[in-house]
Amino acid sequence: MTGLELCRMYYEQVGRPMLCEKFGEYMPRIAAGLVGEGSDCLGYDDEISRDHDFGPGFCIWLCSEDYKKIGAEMQKAYNALPKEFMGFAARRTSDRGDGRVGVMEINRFYRQFIGDEQPPKDLMRWLYLPEHKITAAISGQVFEDNLGEFSAVRNELLNYYPEDIRIKKIAARAAAMAQSGQYNYARCMRRGDTVAANIAVTEFIKNSLSMIYLLNKKYSPYYKWQFHGLKKMIGSRNFVLGDALMLIEQLSCAYNQSHAWEPPFEPGWNPYLNTDDKKVVLIEKICSLVIIELKKQGLTEGCDDFLESHTYNIMNRIQNEQLSRCHVTEG
C-alpha cells in the first residue's frame, strides 16, 4: 500500500467521520487531501522512504475566514485522532517534516510554494519560481473540496507554464547542456581535471532531465526524483525522449574515460568530439535526440549539432518582449 492510499483510507474511515460529527456545518467548505512535499505525495514512496514523514495523516484546508474561526479547534480534534491505522504505526515526523499534515489556511499553504500571487500573474514570477516547489503544490490528491477555493489555484498550476515561459526555459536548458556537456566536459578532460569533468557531466545530466520534462510539458520534481519520475512516464501516451532518458542512465554509469585523452592523437583529431570517449558519444547522442524533438515542436529549424546554436531560434519564438530580452541562461 502506498502512503497516498493509506492516507486516503485514513481520511475516509477516521478523519471524515470526525469532521462530520464535530464540524458538520463546515463540511461544505472544507477541502481535504494529501498534497505537498514528500515521496508519498508524489506516489514514489517505498520501503526505504518509510523511515520518516510516513504514516496515517491528511491535510485539511480552510479559507482564511474559517481558519480564523475554527482552525485551532479543528487542529486539536485532528491531533486527537488515532495515531495508528490498519497496522501502520503513527506518522514519523522528521525535524523538517512538521506541518505537512493537519489543518492549514489555503493561502498560507500555497504561499510556502509559490508566494503571494496564487497562481502567479506576472511572467517574470513564473520564470523564477522553483520548479520543484510547483510540483509539490500540485502533488498528491485532493480527496474532497466542496468550496473549490483550494482546487482553483491547483487547477491553474496544473495547466502548466505559460508557453512563453516554457520556451524561455527550454532555451536556458539548451544553453546549459551545450556549455556543460558539449563544451566544458572535453576541455576539463584535456586538462586532466576529472573532478571538474564529472561536475560538467552532472550539470549536463541535470539540465537534460529538466529539458525532457519541459518538452513533455511536465513540471520537474525535486532533483532526487527527476529520473525516477521520467522513468515512470515511459510508455505513457505522447511521452517524448524516452530513448534519450535511457542514454542519460548509461552516461551516469559510464566509468572514467581518461584513457581516451592520452596522446598521440590521429591527424585532424577534434578535441571537442573525441569519439574514443564513451561519455562524449553519449552526450552527442542525447543532444541529437533533443534537437530532433525541438524541430518537431517547431522551436528550431537549425541544422547544427551544437545545441548552443539553436538557442537563438528558440528565443525568437518568445512573444513577450520582456522575456525575449532576458539573457538566454535566465530561467
Side-chain angles (χ1 to χ4, degrees):
M1 179 183 293
T2 67
L4 195 55
E5 291 169 338
L6 172 65
C7 291
R8 186 178 190 105
M9 293 179 68
Y10 183 66
Y11 172 73
E12 292 173 348
Q13 297 181 28
V14 179
R16 195 175 196 282
M18 178 276 289
L19 291 171
C20 289
E21 177 186 349
K22 297 186 176 182
F23 304 95
E25 63 180 297
Y26 287 94
M27 285 304 292
R29 301 171 59 80
I30 286 174
L34 186 70
V35 176
E37 296 173 321
S39 56
D40 52 352
C41 291
L42 291 169
Y44 300 161
D45 54 298
D46 53 21
E47 292 293 332
I48 296 173
S49 59
R50 292 184 179 184
D51 63 336
H52 66 90
D53 302 315
F54 178 88
F58 57 89
C59 307
I60 303 169
W61 299 286
L62 302 173
C63 66
S64 298
E65 179 183 354
D66 292 345
Y67 186 83
K68 290 176 183 177
K69 289 181 180 178
I70 60 166
E73 182 184 355
M74 189 174 285
Q75 183 63 53
K76 185 176 180 181
Y78 177 90
N79 292 341
L81 291 173
K83 300 295 186 289
E84 298 182 6
F85 179 69
M86 293 188 65
F88 288 90
R91 189 174 184 87
R92 301 181 185 91
T93 303
S94 65
D95 292 340
R96 298 186 181 184
D98 194 28
R100 293 187 180 181
V101 294
V103 183
M104 310 172 191
E105 192 267 327
I106 293 172
N107 290 336
R108 190 178 301 173
F109 173 84
Y110 280 118
R111 188 179 301 126
Q112 66 183 312
F113 301 115
I114 62 173
D116 289 322
E117 283 188 353
Q118 304 168 10
K121 298 177 178 61
D122 181 74
L123 286 181
M124 299 307 292
R125 281 283 302 136
W126 273 110
L127 185 64
Y128 291 110
L129 278 179
E131 193 169 355
H132 69 279
K133 290 291 187 180
I134 306 176
T135 302
I138 62 167
S139 67
Q141 291 180 7
V142 178
F143 304 152
E144 66 175 303
D145 182 9
N146 297 313
L147 185 63
E149 186 173 326
F150 181 85
S151 295
V153 178
R154 179 182 175 88
N155 290 338
E156 286 289 335
L157 295 173
L158 283 166
N159 285 334
Y160 199 59
Y161 286 126
E163 182 62 3
D164 270 0
I165 294 297
R166 186 179 82 100
I167 295 172
K168 179 67 195 72
K169 287 180 173 288
I170 287 171
R173 300 303 171 272
M177 288 173 67
Q179 181 189 57
S180 58
Q182 293 182 292
Y183 182 73
N184 276 327
Y185 170 71
R187 289 175 70 84
C188 294
M189 291 302 291
R190 288 176 68 192
R191 292 191 176 103
D193 190 344
T194 55
V195 173
N198 282 328
I199 293 172
V201 170
T202 299
E203 284 295 306
F204 176 79
I205 290 174
K206 180 180 71 174
N207 283 283
S208 297
L209 292 174
S210 178
M211 175 70 90
I212 296 176
Y213 276 101
L214 288 161
L215 291 172
N216 280 282
K217 297 187 178 181
K218 300 289 184 183
Y219 296 118
S220 175
Y222 190 54
Y223 73 90
K224 72 174 182 177
W225 295 118
Q226 280 184 304
F227 181 74
H228 182 80
L230 288 172
K231 278 193 75 173
K232 288 177 74 72
M233 294 183 204
I234 291 179
S236 61
R237 186 182 179 190
N238 299 325
F239 180 74
V240 301
L241 291 173
D243 290 344
L245 186 64
M246 295 301 96
L247 293 174
I248 289 170
E249 185 171 28
Q250 292 179 37
L251 178 59
S252 73
C253 298
Y255 54 84
N256 184 357
Q257 298 291 300
S258 294
H259 65 279
W261 297 89
E262 297 173 357
F265 302 110
E266 296 292 331
W269 177 74
N270 183 347
Y272 292 102
L273 200 59
N274 182 357
T275 55
D276 291 331
D277 185 316
K278 182 179 179 180
K279 293 183 182 181
V280 168
V281 173
L282 288 169
I283 286 168
E284 290 301 321
K285 286 182 178 179
I286 292 164
C287 291
S288 176
L289 290 171
V290 167
I291 291 168
I292 291 170
E293 184 58 34
L294 289 171
K295 290 181 179 180
K296 286 181 181 178
Q297 297 194 19
L299 296 173
T300 185
E301 64 277 344
C303 298
D304 202 306
D305 293 332
F306 190 43
L307 261 174
E308 170 71 25
S309 300
H310 295 269
T311 58
Y312 305 100
N313 284 325
I314 299 168
M315 290 289 291
N316 285 337
R317 267 63 175 183
I318 298 172
Q319 301 296 311
N320 181 270
E321 186 177 348
Q322 184 180 12
L323 271 182
S324 67
R325 291 199 305 265
C326 290
H327 191 275
V328 66
T329 60
E330 288 189 71

